[in-house]
Amino acid sequence: VGLFLYVEDVDAVVQQAAAAGATVTREPEDQFWGDRLGLITDPYGHVWHIATRVEELAPEEIAARSREVFASMA
């Protein structure tokens, strides 16, 4: 099972989940589409994508940023 949850403060929620027994599978970091995103796996194996919106972007800006990100991966 995978879940995606928007919260007020992704960093605090990821820390709280880790303290409660979850495994942090990806530390929170800013994403090109305007979210700050972290991943945890709870003790039952459910994967949680936890995010906070940090920027409101136009679709054109997201597309431009995604091209930059994927070009740097090549």
Side-chain angles (χ1 to χ4, degrees):
V1 171
L3 302 156
F4 195 106
L5 181 67
Y6 277 102
V7 297
E8 188 80 23
D9 183 348
V10 64
D11 294 278
V13 171
V14 167
Q15 287 179 355
Q16 183 180 13
T23 301
V24 178
T25 51
R26 189 161 87 185
E27 291 289 338
E29 61 182 339
D30 293 342
Q31 304 297 316
F32 69 83
W33 57 87
D35 288 349
R36 183 165 178 78
L37 176 73
L39 275 69
I40 61 166
T41 302
D42 69 25
Y44 303 101
H46 303 116
V47 177
W48 295 73
H49 295 73
I50 302 173
T52 298
R53 179 62 47 103
V54 292
E55 288 185 275
E56 291 295 332
L57 301 168
E60 299 79 20
E61 181 65 22
I62 295 170
R65 287 183 179 187
S66 70
R67 285 190 295 275
E68 291 174 14
V69 168
F70 293 117
S72 72
M73 298 169 121

